[in-house]
Amino acid sequence: MKKKWIAVTLAWAMGVTILAGCTTKNPDQSGGNTAKDSGNSGEIVINYPTFQVGVNTAAPVVSQLVEEFNKEYKGKYRIQLEEVPGDANYVDKIKVQLGTGDLPPVVYGGGYNLLDLAVAKDLVLDLTDTVGGDPEWKGLYSDASLETNSRNGKIYASSAEGSIIGYFYNKELFEKAGITEPAKTWDEFFKQCDALKAAGITPLAMDTADSAWVTQLWLGAMAATANEDGLKFMETMNPDDYNTPEMIAAAEKVQTMLREYTTLDAIGGKYENAANNFLSGQAAMIANGPWMIGDFEDEAKAMPGFSDKVGSAIYPGGFVYDAPIQGYFVTKQDDPKLEEAAIAMVKFFTSAHAQQLGLETQGMIPASQTVEITEEAKRKYPLLADFLNQAEEAAIRSDNMQSTMYSNLLDVISQELPRLYSGDLDPKGFCQSLTDGAKKNQ
Amino acid sequence: MKINKMWIPVFLLPTVVLFLMIYAVPLVMVFATSLFDYRLNAKDMTFIGFGNYSRLFRDPDFFQALSNTVMWILIQCTVHVALGTVVALILYKRPKGWKFVRTAYMVPNIISNAAIAMIFLNIFNPQFGVINSVLKAARLEHLTRNWLMDSRTSFVSVTLIWVLFAGYTTTLVLAQALSIDDTIIEAAKVDGASPFQRDIFVVLPLLKKVIGTTMVMAATYMLQMFDLIYITTNGGPGKATTNLPLLLYSVYKGENNYGYANAIGVCIVVIGIGAMALINKALKVNQEEY
């Protein structure tokens, strides 16, 4: 009898132990996304997951904005940061929450096009009336910003940062090859590549893995400057036909660039490889945005004094990537007070002050044209100031391909560029692969 | 001692509950949702029956991934297991330093796949990797290439990352071999069997079951293989090194198509069960022999 009771007790204990892990937690311990009243104060808490923490370049800006917001709205609203290190992890988290319909009150769209996914699920709050009723907020929207953050005539998001992208070159290596200034045309650009190669210098730092960020910047710049159709293609959101003469011609040039003018490790290499090749002085040019400027002065990444060797340029044909980065959006919540708090947060995070802070702390280009590029920012980031001056001269502008293409094409482009390099695919075949990949989204 | 069989279900109950909650329910959910047009960028799910499965048969990427997966299972079940068994048979003779070799051969199996992938990324690096450097030093520069990103060599290069390190197989087979009754081997010796004949006709047949078990493990390992391929080639170039888990991930993450991804998931489960049944039947792993 005693043995029987011991056996029953043990079986019961095993069952309870297992099931203990499956019980519902106290909502306060769940790390959920909904607001919580903190005690009896009536303060609305906004749980805000973000990857802009830790070593992320935007972390200091976000941290200061949170501190200022919490101070300004003390007792009314409070942002509680939820750290999600790594932007890919953040995107995964948001996608999972999209699937369950339980999004955090504020989502940062960034360059990941999360807005369309959330709009398709009807989970985003329409900000049209709120922005329209606030002239100060409305004034921060440029036409481009309005287009980036609107769908079907409704404003759904608000941007804080712009994205002006050209390329950087190593002045010392250019001088060795007898090049005096960046190329104005693509023909001149390729002649410069030949001159660099003849001088024993690798002309370009490129990549193919992880969406081939650097390489697709060259590809898009060539397509955009080909003619009006090329520019129209670059301005199209989620294009589904890459079989255009402009794209095929650009792919042909990229094939040459990969074969003739870049490092061996570009094929299969990530952005980090390309950046390292440029920062170590092994390659003369790299396409990238101003956020890389900080790396030139970082002695953990580049040789001391490297920043003095770097020049910036817009692309041949007078082209520069110029588009606001998709901004913050408010998601539909059960509690209208939480929605109000989230709107206040988005407004604060995209205010002129926030954009100014991003510029001066991080060298982040403001989304709004009304936010002045201050002398302090120019002094702190001379290369940025120089680049912005050049960008003003650019006659052709568009968004970058990575922001406009279907997300599954990021993998396709990574997988097919090595085949374009090896000749397994010709430029036409490469464009056909992208077209086939785009069609999978229909 | 007499065992009261009434208590067996009682003690099994927690495990059964756990299995149902963690494996069975999600598996049913995966199958159920694979019957829907279930996309992240659509408001609602639409029932489409076996629509996702019929897409599988029209999708060249699926066939490429399936072919790679099956190929890897076959290579793993033959080359990998054979290598591990041969090493175990050598160690079974207890040559000098066999314990050290046994431990050393196990080392790659205790390093994380991510770390191994990073090591091989460097080994195969076209610019400074060991392989190309050795080829250059041997004046065979014409043979150098981007091993992981060349369509002609990527599959073999990725396979080499894991196929040679059969530590688990060796450990299991060796443990079984060491437990063989010495009298059986002595009897074979008395009958005049040479060492080679004893290995082939006496020891090896007695290891049949454990070899079958290692083959099942090797096959399931290949069905789960993701991180090593993701880090080294991400399935490329083209789809040359894409397997079913990698395809599932790209469909889920890139296309945001959960229904189709789940259909691929169901295929992985079916192939896994099929492979296990086949190996068990071929090697009679679960049958008692008297």
Side-chain angles (χ1 to χ4, degrees):
Chain A
M1 189 63 186
K2 194 179 173 186
K3 276 184 187 169
K4 194 184 276 183
W5 277 109
I6 291 171
V8 171
T9 312
L10 280 174
W12 178 81
M14 282 169 73
V16 167
T17 310
I18 290 162
L19 291 173
C22 310
T23 52
T24 311
K25 283 180 180 176
N26 181 321
D28 282 349
Q29 296 171 323
S30 68
N33 305 305
T34 51
K36 294 165 280 183
D37 257 349
S38 64
N40 299 320
S41 64
E43 187 181 58
I44 302 285
V45 180
I46 307 160
N47 181 39
Y48 178 55
T50 176
F51 62 92
Q52 293 175 322
V53 290
V55 293
N56 187 285
T57 50
V61 182
V62 171
S63 169
Q64 191 171 332
L65 286 174
V66 169
E67 199 182 314
E68 289 177 4
F69 179 88
N70 288 346
K71 202 172 169 186
E72 188 169 326
Y73 289 96
K74 196 175 180 188
K76 193 176 178 190
Y77 307 138
R78 182 164 60 84
I79 299 169
Q80 188 165 302
L81 278 186
E82 184 192 332
E83 298 194 357
V84 186
D87 54 350
N89 294 331
Y90 173 77
V91 173
D92 279 350
K93 179 185 167 70
I94 297 298
K95 280 187 174 181
V96 169
Q97 289 184 291
L98 262 168
T100 60
D102 184 27
L103 283 171
V106 175
V107 175
Y108 173 65
Y112 317 101
N113 198 18
L114 296 169
L115 179 62
D116 283 306
L117 295 173
V119 168
K121 289 244 175 242
D122 193 22
L123 292 171
V124 189
L125 210 65
D126 179 2
L127 297 176
T128 315
D129 293 339
T130 319
V131 172
D134 186 336
E136 194 187 331
W137 195 0
K138 177 86 178 169
L140 292 171
Y141 280 84
S142 63
D143 288 346
S145 184
L146 208 56
E147 195 179 330
T148 302
N149 294 302
S150 299
R151 298 290 180 274
N152 303 320
K154 291 177 182 171
I155 302 172
Y156 284 110
S158 184
S159 290
E161 59 206 293
S163 151
I164 302 187
I165 305 167
Y167 72 93
F168 298 106
Y169 61 94
N170 187 317
K171 290 189 270 190
E172 204 173 80
L173 297 181
F174 264 36
E175 208 177 307
K176 272 186 195 166
I179 302 166
T180 50
E181 59 173 8
K184 296 276 186 284
T185 65
W186 287 106
D187 284 344
E188 196 186 339
F189 175 80
F190 283 106
K191 276 180 191 159
Q192 288 185 351
C193 287
D194 285 331
L196 284 160
K197 200 176 166 187
I201 299 160
T202 305
L204 300 163
M206 294 173 81
D207 58 358
T208 64
D210 281 358
S211 83
W213 167 248
V214 176
T215 302
Q216 61 90 11
L217 287 175
W218 291 116
L219 181 72
M222 288 185 281
T225 49
N227 53 36
E228 273 183 23
D229 287 342
L231 181 61
K232 201 173 161 190
F233 174 87
M234 289 298 294
E235 288 172 338
T236 308
M237 190 67 193
N238 293 332
D240 49 21
D241 184 7
Y242 287 77
N243 283 315
T244 65
E246 300 78 27
M247 274 303 295
I248 293 168
E252 199 175 336
K253 283 175 188 155
V254 163
Q255 188 180 44
T256 307
M257 289 159 90
L258 289 170
R259 284 177 173 176
E260 305 287 337
Y261 302 129
T262 190
T263 52
L264 279 172
D265 66 348
I267 312 304
K270 299 180 176 186
Y271 163 76
E272 288 80 0
N273 296 59
N276 192 39
N277 284 325
F278 182 74
L279 294 167
S280 62
Q282 284 187 53
M285 290 180 265
I286 187 168
N288 206 359
W291 49 84
M292 196 184 186
I293 291 171
D295 289 354
F296 303 149
E297 287 171 4
D298 186 346
E299 289 186 12
K301 293 177 180 170
M303 294 290 282
F306 182 75
S307 61
D308 298 334
K309 296 179 188 173
V310 181
S312 58
I314 59 169
Y315 295 96
F319 173 75
V320 69
Y321 288 104
D322 182 8
I325 294 177
Q326 200 177 82
Y328 299 84
F329 56 88
V330 177
T331 64
K332 289 182 177 170
Q333 301 290 325
D334 294 335
D335 182 0
K337 283 184 184 170
L338 179 59
E339 288 179 349
E340 279 172 28
I343 291 170
M345 176 181 160
V346 169
K347 191 179 163 188
F348 193 88
F349 271 53
T350 57
S351 64
H353 162 70
Q355 294 189 29
Q356 201 87 58
L357 185 72
L359 171 70
E360 284 168 15
T361 312
Q362 192 201 345
M364 189 195 284
I365 293 169
S368 172
Q369 288 161 352
T370 58
V371 176
E372 188 197 351
I373 310 289
T374 58
E375 286 306 314
E376 192 187 334
K378 285 178 185 170
R379 222 176 10 254
K380 198 170 172 187
Y381 304 104
L383 200 56
L384 172 69
D386 179 44
F387 175 64
L388 289 175
N389 284 338
Q390 292 183 64
E392 278 177 21
E393 306 297 319
I396 308 169
R397 291 159 192 269
S398 83
D399 204 344
N400 69 76
M401 285 176 74
Q402 187 168 301
S403 299
T404 56
M405 63 170 43
Y406 284 114
S407 62
N408 68 317
L409 295 189
L410 300 179
D411 266 352
V412 176
I413 201 166
S414 309
Q415 287 166 339
E416 300 298 30
L417 276 173
R419 297 215 299 156
L420 180 70
Y421 161 81
S422 68
D424 284 352
L425 275 181
D426 59 12
K428 221 172 171 175
F430 174 75
C431 293
Q432 185 59 49
S433 285
L434 291 174
T435 307
D436 292 343
K439 281 184 180 152
K440 288 183 178 174
N441 294 281
Q442 290 162 0
Chain B
M1 192 178 71
K2 195 184 169 191
I3 298 169
N4 187 346
K5 288 189 176 175
M6 192 190 84
W7 293 107
I8 294 174
V10 176
F11 277 98
L12 275 179
L13 188 66
T15 310
V16 171
V17 170
L18 198 67
F19 175 80
L20 286 174
M21 283 164 54
I22 296 176
Y23 294 104
V25 172
L27 266 176
V28 171
M29 289 292 288
V30 164
F31 177 70
T33 49
S34 73
L35 303 175
F36 285 81
D37 184 5
Y38 176 24
R39 292 166 193 263
L40 195 57
N41 51 357
K43 198 177 175 191
D44 300 308
M45 293 164 70
T46 319
F47 182 75
I48 53 167
F50 287 93
N52 284 321
Y53 292 91
S54 74
R55 180 184 158 185
L56 283 175
F57 293 103
R58 288 178 277 117
D59 186 353
D61 291 350
F62 172 74
F63 283 106
Q64 176 73 59
L66 180 68
S67 147
N68 288 342
T69 307
V70 170
M71 190 61 86
W72 271 322
I73 289 174
L74 291 175
I75 290 171
Q76 198 76 352
C77 288
T78 52
V79 180
H80 180 85
V81 171
L83 270 171
T85 306
V86 167
V87 174
L89 285 176
I90 293 169
L91 297 180
Y92 171 61
K93 310 275 183 201
R94 296 181 177 88
K96 199 176 173 188
W98 72 280
K99 283 187 179 171
F100 171 76
V101 174
R102 183 183 60 181
T103 311
Y105 197 56
M106 196 59 197
V107 168
N109 290 81
I110 57 171
I111 301 174
S112 77
N113 276 352
I116 287 182
M118 293 309 293
I119 291 168
F120 273 87
L121 266 180
N122 286 317
I123 289 173
F124 285 123
N125 187 291
Q127 204 150 293
F128 56 78
V130 174
I131 294 179
N132 277 358
S133 301
V134 167
L135 287 171
K136 277 178 200 164
R139 300 193 175 188
L140 295 169
E141 198 151 2
H142 61 285
L143 294 179
T144 61
R145 63 189 67 242
N146 192 332
W147 296 93
L148 289 168
M149 279 298 142
D150 188 320
S151 302
R152 293 165 296 176
T153 57
S154 58
F155 187 88
V156 175
S157 303
V158 169
T159 308
L160 280 173
I161 296 175
W162 61 69
V163 82
L164 302 175
F165 306 118
Y168 282 125
T169 304
T170 299
T171 308
L172 288 172
V173 174
L174 183 61
Q176 181 71 27
L178 291 171
S179 70
I180 295 172
D181 196 334
D182 285 344
T183 55
I184 299 173
I185 307 298
E186 289 304 319
K189 271 186 195 170
V190 171
D191 286 347
S194 67
F196 179 73
Q197 283 173 324
R198 289 200 296 269
D199 284 347
I200 299 298
F201 299 113
V202 180
V203 178
L204 213 50
L206 290 170
L207 300 175
K208 198 173 74 175
K209 280 190 181 177
V210 77
I211 290 172
T213 305
T214 57
M215 283 171 80
V216 170
M217 284 169 65
T220 49
Y221 179 66
M222 276 299 106
L223 272 173
Q224 296 165 11
M225 177 55 74
F226 177 83
D227 42 8
L228 269 170
I229 306 172
Y230 180 74
I231 295 170
T232 50
T233 63
N234 193 19
K239 296 282 177 201
T241 57
T242 297
N243 65 353
L244 289 174
L246 218 66
L247 181 69
L248 185 156
Y249 180 72
S250 71
V251 168
Y252 145 73
K253 199 175 177 199
E255 292 178 37
N256 299 310
N257 191 338
Y258 293 1
Y260 189 51
N262 286 347
I264 297 170
V266 170
C267 281
I268 293 174
V269 174
V270 169
I271 291 169
I273 293 168
M276 277 193 288
L278 208 67
I279 295 166
N280 284 340
K281 196 169 172 65
L283 293 172
K284 295 174 182 159
V285 176
N286 295 325
Q287 285 179 25
E288 290 296 334
E289 284 174 4
Y290 300 98

